[in-house]
Amino acid sequence: MENIKAPRGVRDILPDESWKWASIFEVTRKIAEDFGYREVHLPIFEQTELFSRGIGETTDVVEKEMYTFSDRSGRSLTLRPEATASMVRAYLEHGMASGPQPSKLWCTGPMMRYERPQKGRYRQFWQLDFEAIGSSSPLVDVEVIALSLEIFRRLGLANLEVLVNSVGCPACRPLYRTALQDYLRMHFDSLCPTCQGRFDRNPLRILDCKVETCKAITDGAPDVRDHLCEECRDHFDEVLKGLDLLGAKFRIDKRLVRGLDYYTKTAYEVLSGDLGAQNAVCGGGRYDNLAEAIGGPHTPGVGFAAGLDRIVLTMEQQRLGFGTEPSIFVMVVVAEESARDEGLRLLYELRKAGVPADMDTSGKGVKAQMKAAGTAKSNFVCVLGSSEIEKGVVAVKEMATGTQAEVARGRVVADLAARAGSARR
RNA sequence: GUGAGCGUAGCUCAAUUGGUCAGAGCACUGGACUGUGGCUCCAGUGGUUGGGGGUUCAAGUCCCCUCGCUCACCCCA
């Protein structure tokens, strides 16, 4: 412990927690199938330009949060800070536009951002990422949002808030931007210093400032929806209509803006009421300009990223179940040294039969082996000693009841396999 | 990058105004019960008190530096 520790902001997911993650992946994988999304595995690092051009040169992510390095040939590479840009790159690189549209893809894995760690924020964090690329239909926006809500529904998450908004497109956003600036200019002196700094660079961000005085000012600010072009307005209406149709509970939040440049039209976010300041458990929206930004043909797309670390935090906070923690079903206990070979044989027969089984290898006494079986929460113990071997039986003890019975050696594996099978259902 | 709080055994925490203060519980290992767990009792393993420097007769306890953790700002998943 003296010297080498995990770097700041990263952590180990140990066995007591990893099985919970596995159960979330299982649920997610099933939902992906149910919605027709196929899994892809993407590289964990990319050419730096993919992100600097895709996400936007002036965004916080690109300006100060990327892990960028040169490899041995001098190429500039970056550990991915998010998955969407990679997904679109893969879509373009493999000509997926020639397949059925939209291409519905998903992936999971770690993302890396150099940020100050705090509750729910790590330098390496896991996301579930779903993207539908190649369609501009608002029904796809609806599907993506519905899919994310279905994940949370099946996991049992409560106390969530769904915020939806439209951030317009290159045609109408600039007009709104100036309208907003015109309004804010009248109150410029009352804005907090941070917002005064944002005024020119990114006035939309002022809308979600947490300072009370800024909030009061932006309460009266012009609404994006009144400034959307006809196309964006129709699109937004269709999305809202679709969500209503599915009975989705959401709130239109005119303050919802996005930190990444590539977003157009639909923007949405799912907030957890059981996290700290970092309360977004999922964020997404439409990004019709991303493909062009990274050098491809105009290709519309929608998607979302959900934060696994935050989902787990919320689930633990809400004391939700994670399915079943895997455990050893049978412990083989060897009563005497002379029974060790037979014990080993039995152990591997059980394992081959698909019964989770284990055995002590350190030569401990029977009592200690029993205790280990208890700690491992094993359902059964098979005791083997010279007397059992002579009689051709195995003493099978059911740990929960404490009852023990002799079972013929020839039948014991099939018998336990049957019990393990029914126990798992 | 900024601010605040905190760093004592694997875990959770004790240690009066600096003076046997390096401890307890849990966990782990062994024993009481020489072939049987979960209860009880006993014993044992385990810490250069995050690291470095300073003040002092004496520092876990005070001061400085450093590293780390936590929460918040910022930003987002």
Side-chain angles (χ1 to χ4, degrees):
Chain A
M1 292 319 99
E2 302 71 27
N3 291 322
I4 301 180
K5 292 188 199 163
R8 177 163 214 198
V10 307
R11 65 210 177 111
D12 304 305
I13 306 300
L14 302 178
D16 281 347
E17 205 178 357
S18 66
W19 69 272
K20 297 177 181 177
W21 287 53
S23 79
I24 294 176
F25 288 135
E26 207 173 302
V27 169
T28 303
R29 199 152 275 134
K30 178 66 171 76
I31 293 172
E33 276 173 33
D34 295 348
F35 280 71
Y37 284 69
R38 308 283 316 266
E39 185 172 11
V40 292
H41 292 162
L42 300 173
I44 212 173
F45 56 84
E46 298 268 4
Q47 292 182 25
T48 299
E49 305 86 270
L50 173 64
F51 302 120
S52 54
R53 280 155 54 185
I55 299 173
E57 296 282 2
T58 60
T59 58
D60 276 23
V61 169
V62 171
E63 272 186 347
K64 47 189 193 191
E65 296 174 3
M66 295 205 305
Y67 279 97
T68 298
F69 60 98
S70 359
D71 71 4
R72 290 174 183 278
S73 70
R75 263 185 289 263
S76 179
L77 301 174
T78 294
L79 301 184
R80 63 178 180 194
E82 56 125 43
T84 308
S86 296
M87 200 76 104
V88 172
R89 193 225 80 225
Y91 170 95
L92 297 171
E93 189 168 332
H94 299 99
M96 291 189 211
S98 61
Q101 297 299 292
S103 293
K104 307 209 289 187
L105 308 167
W106 78 280
C107 74
T108 183
M111 308 296 155
M112 281 67 64
R113 260 125 93 158
Y114 186 88
E115 293 186 274
R116 194 76 176 261
Q118 74 183 74
K119 188 182 179 73
R121 185 167 79 184
Y122 310 97
R123 288 186 172 178
Q124 175 178 311
F125 56 99
W126 287 67
Q127 288 187 335
L128 301 172
D129 195 78
F130 281 75
E131 311 290 349
I133 307 170
S135 166
S136 51
S137 166
L139 293 185
V140 182
D141 304 41
V142 172
E143 176 176 274
V144 158
I145 296 172
L147 196 163
S148 65
L149 299 183
E150 180 62 10
I151 291 177
F152 301 134
R153 191 188 70 77
R154 286 198 206 173
L155 291 176
L157 290 196
N159 198 10
L160 297 179
E161 193 175 18
V162 183
L163 306 179
V164 184
N165 196 18
S166 175
V167 295
C169 66
C172 54
R173 186 157 31 180
L175 299 177
Y176 173 65
R177 191 187 144 108
T178 44
L180 181 63
Q181 279 175 322
D182 288 344
Y183 168 82
L184 291 173
R185 193 169 290 118
M186 300 186 294
H187 307 275
F188 188 84
D189 294 335
S190 315
L191 291 172
C192 72
T194 332
C195 283
Q196 293 186 349
R198 292 196 265 234
F199 184 83
D200 286 312
R201 281 179 56 134
N202 197 350
L204 296 193
R205 281 237 77 89
I206 298 176
L207 289 173
D208 68 355
C209 180
K210 287 170 187 165
V211 178
E212 283 305 324
T213 51
C214 294
K215 274 186 180 172
I217 293 168
T218 50
D219 275 341
D223 195 320
V224 221
R225 278 169 296 166
D226 302 327
H227 295 261
L228 294 178
C229 62
E230 199 184 336
E231 188 192 320
C232 288
R233 169 164 261 307
D234 289 349
H235 186 96
F236 192 41
D237 288 342
E238 288 295 314
V239 172
L240 299 181
K241 212 172 93 185
L243 290 175
D244 279 331
L245 197 74
L246 300 178
K249 297 261 188 296
F250 65 93
R251 205 184 82 212
I252 299 173
D253 182 5
K254 66 171 188 177
R255 294 175 186 279
L256 178 62
V257 294
R258 308 265 61 184
L260 312 184
D261 282 0
Y262 55 60
Y263 283 107
T264 56
K265 296 180 177 167
T266 312
Y268 87 104
E269 220 162 72
V270 181
L271 270 31
S272 164
D274 291 289
L275 291 174
Q278 306 303 317
N279 61 351
V281 85
C282 170
R286 182 161 278 282
Y287 45 85
D288 292 346
N289 298 320
L290 175 54
E292 272 176 301
I294 62 176
H298 178 80
T299 311
V302 224
F304 72 82
L308 249 181
D309 310 74
R310 292 180 187 179
I311 290 173
V312 173
L313 271 176
T314 302
M315 289 180 73
E316 279 170 348
Q317 189 69 35
Q318 298 180 359
R319 301 181 181 281
L320 300 178
F322 287 89
T324 319
E325 182 170 8
S327 69
I328 287 297
F329 194 73
V330 179
M331 274 296 247
V332 175
V333 168
V334 174
E336 297 148 42
E337 185 59 28
S338 63
R340 220 191 59 177
D341 290 353
E342 187 50 29
L344 206 63
R345 234 173 263 138
L346 175 59
L347 173 67
Y348 279 87
E349 283 177 33
L350 286 164
R351 287 175 170 175
K352 273 183 198 158
V355 180
D358 214 342
M359 178 175 129
D360 173 72
T361 50
S362 65
K364 284 191 246 195
V366 172
K367 189 180 175 65
Q369 291 184 62
M370 289 301 298
K371 197 175 174 188
T375 307
K377 292 182 184 135
S378 75
N379 303 51
F380 291 90
V381 163
C382 285
V383 183
L384 267 179
S386 49
S387 67
E388 282 80 7
I389 293 176
E390 264 174 45
K391 289 197 273 180
V393 298
V394 176
V396 177
K397 179 171 185 176
E398 184 171 14
M399 295 298 271
T401 60
T403 56
Q404 186 166 320
E406 293 189 339
V407 179
R409 175 66 178 83
R411 280 195 12 236
V412 71
V413 173
D415 186 43
L416 287 168
R419 288 169 183 273
S422 58
R424 233 171 291 177
R425 271 189 284 277

